[in-house]
Amino acid sequence: MALIKLKRGFDINLKGKITDDNVVDSRASDTYAVVPDDFTGIIPRMEKKEGEKVAAGEPLYHDKGDEKIKVTSPVSGTVKQVVRGDRRKIMAVVIEPDNEARSVTFDTRENPKALLLESGLWPMLRQRPYDIVPSSSARPRDIFITAFDSAPLAPSLKKILGDDVKFLSKAVEVLSTMTDGKVYLGCSPNDPITDTGAETNTFSGPHPAGNAGVQIANVKPVNKGEVVWTLDVVTAARIGKLFETGKMDYSTVVAVNGPGVDQPSYMKATMGCKLSSLLDGRLSDSGKELRIISGNVLTGVRESIEGYLHAPYRHVTVINEINKKDEFMGWASLSPKKYSIYHVFTSGIFGRHKEVDLDAKLNGGERAIVLSGEYDNMLPMDIYAEFLIKAIIAFDIDKMEQLGIYEIAPEDFALAEYADTSKLELQRIVRDGLDKMRAEMC
């Protein structure tokens, strides 16, 4: 087990940590939803119509460009609504559950790839380059499993796994048949996972040490023409469980936390559940407007309480929209409570690592990029991040390739976006760049 020490990055010590490791049951959700945008690279074509019955594990839709890739229903019930947006884009498929608990039993004697495609587990994989769901014909150079999440208030993946950790060795065995290279497992020194059959590396250091892209870059970087797959350890355990039992397990443990939650805790739920089933009775009654995020504060999706739990189905964060609308002297304040990751305020010298109650306020507007090295300080990868962002904005394909476009995903720039004094939407820029690059090269 190799130890890789990372120095660049930053841990945001956000208020609202879970202090009780007990897992409580969530309230039953009256509807569930699958959101196609969670599976980047798939253009959905419906297999079920509104009003039709569906069993858990039965396909809801397949990829328009690759019919073998299917997305399945997490519950048994009726397709209540296919929510469409501009140009009839499918925004969500809403399922109303029934009491029949019907589920598909899969034949585990099938070819491993065919079973992953049929069961709906395939869309939970990601490939580099482009950070998309892999093609059904792809064969990766290597496969990387991330066993910890270093994002602010992120749950312990080992806690979410629970007893399902026993299925990891089966998952590694299955995944090993799908690559000519190795299956790598990236662990935290605080939560090691052993005896899985994968080549294990431990990563110590601040966020984004838990990101798949950072782990790949520090173990075996992706070069032009190469393809690698990534997945988290929870998805890997689901793969192992599927091959052991023949059933897809759509249950999950969700961390519900943040400054806007009165009782941060782990909750047992089902994929795609309504957020109200997790948050009712748990939101702060301080009178402040709250922002509900399906995911973590850096990469999650903003939702209403009537929204749904997005992929990867394990984290809901609630923060204050604005703590103080009018603040004396604003950015020029000398208050020791003013927070900064830089040495701009007194808190930047003495209190950068104290627990803080941050809100969603931007504190400024978009400005020109200043080449100060702040992106590089937040990204422990061997790339020139600021020059890469400029190349993406200019869509200079040659420079994008030279500067490492094939190695990155939007989440790798989430921390840099938080620290960016230019207030640029770096994740959106990277996503647009990857999509344009894919359209140009594929």
Side-chain angles (χ1 to χ4, degrees):
M1 185 182 294
L3 173 62
I4 299 172
K5 296 181 179 181
L6 304 175
K7 294 182 179 180
R8 287 182 287 170
F10 188 80
D11 286 325
I12 304 170
N13 193 8
L14 193 62
K15 182 181 177 182
K17 291 183 176 66
I18 296 174
T19 56
D20 185 355
D21 280 349
N22 291 328
V23 178
V24 299
D25 290 331
S26 66
R27 182 174 60 79
S29 179
D30 56 359
T31 54
Y32 295 81
V34 175
V35 180
D37 279 351
D38 291 339
F39 308 110
T40 308
I42 290 181
I43 301 175
R45 174 167 285 178
M46 294 299 299
E47 294 193 12
K48 293 289 183 180
K49 297 178 181 178
E50 290 184 0
E52 288 188 338
K53 294 279 188 178
V54 64
E58 193 174 357
L60 292 170
Y61 62 83
H62 62 258
D63 181 19
K64 183 178 179 181
D66 191 341
E67 293 186 7
K68 293 180 180 179
I69 300 176
K70 300 178 180 180
V71 175
T72 55
S73 174
V75 293
S76 133
T78 304
V79 178
K80 181 179 181 180
Q81 185 183 12
V82 179
V83 182
R84 294 183 182 269
D86 295 340
R87 302 178 69 179
R88 293 186 56 78
K89 177 184 176 180
I90 298 174
M91 307 301 294
V93 182
V94 180
I95 303 114
E96 187 173 34
D98 55 28
N99 296 319
E100 298 177 23
R102 294 172 294 114
S103 63
V104 177
T105 300
F106 297 95
D107 184 359
T108 57
R109 296 170 297 178
E110 277 192 69
N111 174 276
K113 180 181 283 190
L115 182 53
L116 291 183
L117 289 163
E118 190 65 30
S119 67
L121 271 172
W122 189 273
M124 297 185 190
L125 305 174
R126 291 292 179 273
Q127 86 163 39
R128 302 291 171 95
Y130 309 126
D131 188 41
I132 57 172
V133 174
S135 162
S136 64
S137 60
R139 188 168 180 85
R141 184 202 70 192
D142 298 293
I143 299 175
F144 290 81
I145 303 172
T146 55
F148 72 104
D149 191 341
S150 57
L153 298 181
S156 163
L157 297 190
K158 201 170 182 181
K159 177 68 179 178
I160 290 177
L161 272 179
D163 293 337
D164 285 352
V165 70
K166 63 189 177 186
F167 296 113
L168 286 179
S169 56
K170 182 63 177 180
V172 172
E173 178 188 329
V174 170
L175 292 170
S176 295
T177 67
M178 303 172 72
T179 176
D180 296 323
K182 296 180 180 179
V183 177
Y184 294 93
L185 180 68
C187 294
S188 164
N190 302 322
D191 265 333
I193 297 176
T194 57
D195 302 324
T196 62
E199 182 167 315
T200 304
N201 299 289
T202 57
F203 295 84
S204 70
H207 183 65
N211 284 11
V214 171
Q215 295 181 12
I216 293 169
N218 286 276
V219 174
K220 194 175 179 182
V222 181
N223 298 311
K224 184 178 180 180
E226 295 178 336
V227 172
V228 301
W229 291 354
T230 69
L231 66 157
D232 62 55
V233 72
V234 179
T235 302
R238 285 199 180 100
I239 291 173
K241 194 170 187 176
L242 172 66
F243 280 83
E244 291 280 7
T245 66
K247 293 279 189 179
M248 259 294 288
D249 183 7
Y250 294 96
S251 65
T252 187
V253 174
V254 183
V256 180
N257 52 24
V261 177
D262 277 341
Q263 301 172 351
S265 57
Y266 287 104
M267 304 187 72
K268 189 171 183 179
T270 302
M271 292 181 182
C273 66
K274 222 172 189 178
L275 294 181
S276 58
S277 68
L278 300 168
L279 295 172
D280 278 355
R282 292 180 175 272
L283 296 178
S284 169
D285 59 357
S286 63
K288 295 178 181 177
E289 185 181 356
L290 300 175
R291 176 172 295 196
I292 299 171
I293 303 167
S294 184
N296 66 66
V297 290
L298 295 178
T299 63
V301 179
R302 183 180 182 180
E303 278 286 0
S304 71
I305 197 167
E306 293 303 312
Y308 295 91
L309 183 64
H310 287 250
Y313 320 112
R314 59 169 182 255
H315 195 187
V316 176
T317 317
V318 184
I319 62 175
N320 294 311
E321 195 67 48
I322 297 177
N323 280 331
K324 295 181 180 178
K325 290 186 178 180
D326 299 307
E327 187 175 7
F328 178 67
M329 294 181 69
W331 61 267
S333 170
L334 298 176
S335 170
K337 295 182 180 179
K338 192 76 173 175
Y339 179 77
S340 174
I341 64 173
Y342 303 114
H343 295 172
V344 177
F345 307 110
T346 54
S347 64
I349 303 172
F350 302 110
R352 289 200 306 162
H353 302 289
K354 290 183 179 179
E355 194 174 73
V356 290
D357 179 4
L358 298 180
D359 59 22
K361 189 163 56 176
L362 287 176
N363 293 315
E366 188 174 307
R367 309 174 183 93
I369 296 179
V370 178
L371 297 179
S372 60
E374 62 185 357
Y375 298 177
D376 297 332
N377 292 334
M378 299 294 156
L379 186 60
M381 299 171 70
D382 191 20
I383 63 174
Y384 294 107
E386 290 165 343
F387 291 97
L388 176 56
I389 290 295
K390 293 182 74 173
I392 292 173
I393 293 172
F395 195 54
D396 187 327
I397 293 177
D398 289 338
K399 282 189 177 180
M400 288 162 69
E401 288 185 339
Q402 294 166 11
L403 292 168
I405 187 70
Y406 297 120
E407 297 184 53
I408 64 167
E411 68 173 8
D412 297 325
F413 279 79
L415 185 65
E417 181 176 301
Y418 164 76
D420 185 16
T421 52
S422 299
K423 308 292 182 182
L424 298 181
E425 296 181 28
L426 299 182
Q427 293 181 81
R428 178 189 58 77
I429 291 170
V430 171
R431 182 72 267 164
D432 289 348
L434 291 171
D435 290 343
K436 289 179 182 178
M437 195 76 172
R438 180 183 168 214
E440 188 75 19
M441 305 299 289
C442 296

